[in-house]
Amino acid sequence: MSETNTAAATEAAVAPHRYTATMAADIEARWQDFWDAQGTYEAPNPSGELAGDPELAARPKKFVMDMFPYPSGAGLHVGHPLGYIATDVFARFQRMTGHNVLHTLGFDAFGLPAEQYAVQTGTHPRASTEANMENMKAQLRRLGLGHDKRRSFATIDPEYYKWTQWIFLQIFNSWYDDDLGKARPIAELVKQFENGERAVEGGRPWAELSKPEQADVLSRYRLAYASDAPVNWAPGLGTVLANEEVTADGRSERGNFPVFKAKLRQWNMRITAYADRLLDDLDGLDWPEAIKLQQRNWIGRSVGARIDFAVPTGSGDGTEAITVFSTRQDTLFGATYMVLAPEHDLVDRIVPAAWPEDTHVVWTGGHATPAEAVAAYRKQAAAKSDVERQAEAKDKTGVFTGTYAINPVSGEQVPVFIADYVLMGYGTGAIMAVPAHDARDFAFARAFELPMRCVVQPTDDRGTDPTTWDDAFIAADAQLTNSTGADVTLDGLGVADAKARMTEWLEREGIGHGTVNFRLRDWLFSRQRYWGEPFPIVYDEDGVAHALPESMLPLELPEVEDYSPRTFDPDDADTQPETPLSRNDEWVHVTLDLGDGRGPRKYRRETNTMPNWAGSCWYELRYLDPHNSEKLVDPEVEQYWMGPREGMPTGGVDLYVGGAEHAVLHLLYARFWSKVLFDLGHISSAEPFHKLFNQGMIQAYVYRDARGIAVPATEVEERDGAYYYQGEQVSRLLGKMGKSLKNAVTPDEICAEYGADTLRLYEMAMGPLDVSRPWDTRAVVGQFRLLQRLWRNIVDETTGEVTVADVAEAEIDPATLRALHKAIDGVRGDLEGMRCNTAIAKVTELNNHLVKTYAGSALPRSVAERLVLLVAPLAPHVAEELWRKLGRTDSVVHQDFPVADPAYVVDEAVTCVVQIKGKVKARLEVSPSITDEELEKVALADEKVVAALDGAGIRKVIVRAPKLVNIVPA
């Protein structure tokens, strides 16, 4: 028998009822089974299928949520449950303070990883995903998370994505009424066109338009619409990507493939219609300011003006207008050239056949004609991502289009270029360049030897000749200069006044107007993948999109032989997507009766699928009413859990916990969907998540060999401050935890060695929840010992009998009562504020006090019970076990959390340190409520202080009641 086994056997013989890993495993499994069997965590709705105990439903409610997990095949490592344990502790505390708590967890199960696994192995994505979910459920169950399992689901369940498709159709069949500031059914817009209340662009009556023409008109208004638009095309993946899925290097976030610009017909969500509301409603949310700032920056509201510059057509027989948006319309006199995005559709109409006479050779790119120059440059620009194109440090490139526009305020001709630093997706895709006062324009003007004009008086000593400057002069508080025209002058005005005057002049002349612009772009909603929600859309023979009626939902994914989209040479930009669904011809081409009075007709289904963001845009609503087959959610149930109330004017989930990496995408998309559903009257909450908390990350050391390859962390040895793997020295760096980095620690192995309660306590005690912290397996034992001491305070390790005594409160020693009530007061405040680490520290301090005070004697029952209740949210299994051993037959889960007696919370006395010349001369026991004046008198009268001063005068006395007095002798 090994020494370890011998020691364990000896320990078991001496203390057979000691809290060990084996005992913890038994306790935890039993109580998890009990909770499941009893439905301990089931939260009743006020009505409907999940209605329950009316007394519990009548309590104040709390809806506590974690961000949707994705069921990875790698399973969990100890970093994953950090947020789940924290929300579980908070939810348990809320139950114990009189709340009806909804806390559950589902799975965000569509997405590319399962599809790529299917491509590699031939395993259906559903099979691998469901296997991953079962594994993850088992891992999470072992942690003792108090989830209402009746409410759990996965986004891949057809009964769930039926409603994802239904929401898409609500968005498709809606438009945004700017006058009312809300979404309305598209049928109401059609009525406006039919009765002439709203004119059709172009002036033709609605009734004279063909069905495809009417569809095109409506598409310009719909909140979900298909359009031919520039997209991020990754041939190596065979799919298009949202801007947010492209890295700063212009490559795909997944797979690291090159990404190109291409024009494809794609579904989009008109999230830009909600830009103002998405910004303004942030103010009412209890979110970290850093997250709000990221959303504000992403939405990017800019106040400025739209300005029209006249430009001749390439044929020379007419003029076009280049419309620019500028936040600095006051600098219009300084515009010396213009730039269009290479993709701008005006480019083809303004390019002349030949270069104008005396065209600067630098402007031509070495091409014989403007058309050749533009074509070559467009191909070059298409190979770059938006991020690459906007990089400040890169060399400025571009080419002259061969034509000149007219500066409307000065009448001067200004050359029109195309350049990749201007994006079609921002503003109008065109800029007026004011190189003297814009850094990018300054660099471009230097590169292409373009003129510059100073129109904002520099406040430094650089002078007013931009050709002598090292950089652009940019200031928001300077005065305008060189800005006088025939009928408007800005000279001498400050920037704000100059903007106002220029906007007024533009509007009077009919060549511009004040406006607000946003950085936010419409949401690209199509993916060329198999493993996603099918679009509930079919196309008729004219290519007009039709919504499937609700009776045909869900439209389920068909079987296909090949799950992969067709991929291409990663560097071949001249390719087009081919989706997996398009290969199932029987599914794609169908005859349907859509119930529109046209009878059965032939249609073609949409073969793109929705992005993985779709299912997570509304899952909080499904948790409320998970089995409702008739409605998205019962209005009474939604109002109960998420409706507006005091302090939460837009409603939403009470607490939402997850990583800060979702600051823009998921949170912005979910807010948009909520606002549309709110506008259409389907829900009462205009915001999905009222309070947001971002947990930090559990990090781990990564060890790499001389080649930079990660080696197994568990096999690394430390010797004399250096680290070795198989005899060779390796480097160590703190980073992420993960399977690929060979430093992952699973919760299963920690639970096996110490138990789930120990793991819960350790993760919560590591530090503030919102701060990243390093994992140290050796430190876990500290929390295991806390539980062992807790156990010993109540249970005899030899007999297994409870050792508490029935003692009246008045007979308990005052020091213990003070320690108990101070702990209750502190832990209550900490758990309310999600400060689990300090709550555990207070429990540890109390437990240690009890160990010392009652060594060899019985703990008062009332103290033991309150100690167990304090621990219950943090270590629920051991708390349940001790609660039952104390003779209680009801679950600890719904017990009242202890309340502190204020009389015991305040210390009877505190120690005040008295210093003279910085050295401690006396320690005084004083009241914690003593004033500065009173403390000074007591300190100066103390005999040790008097002796130390020895008759010396006093120059200054610094008092910090009740802890410090510092005396400075004369």
Side-chain angles (χ1 to χ4, degrees), residues 682-703:
H682 299 300
I683 59 175
S684 66
S685 47
E687 286 284 343
F689 315 115
H690 174 71
K691 180 177 177 65
L692 175 69
F693 189 98
N694 296 128
Q695 87 270 15
M697 182 189 300
I698 289 183
Q699 299 171 303
Y701 286 109
V702 183
Y703 299 89

Side-chain angles (χ1 to χ4, degrees), residues 377-412:
Y377 189 78
R378 277 178 156 175
K379 187 170 184 179
Q380 174 185 330
K384 298 179 183 178
S385 71
D386 287 356
V387 176
E388 285 182 296
R389 287 171 57 169
Q390 288 186 299
E392 294 292 340
K394 77 179 191 69
D395 293 334
K396 293 294 180 283
T397 63
V399 70
F400 180 42
T401 62
T403 194
Y404 290 82
I406 303 299
N407 184 322
V409 73
S410 66
E412 295 175 341

Side-chain angles (χ1 to χ4, degrees), residues 653-664:
V653 173
D654 294 276
L655 176 66
Y656 192 40
V657 175
E661 65 272 17
H662 298 293
V664 174

Side-chain angles (χ1 to χ4, degrees), residues 946 948-954 969-970:
V946 172
L949 285 170
D950 194 23
I954 297 172

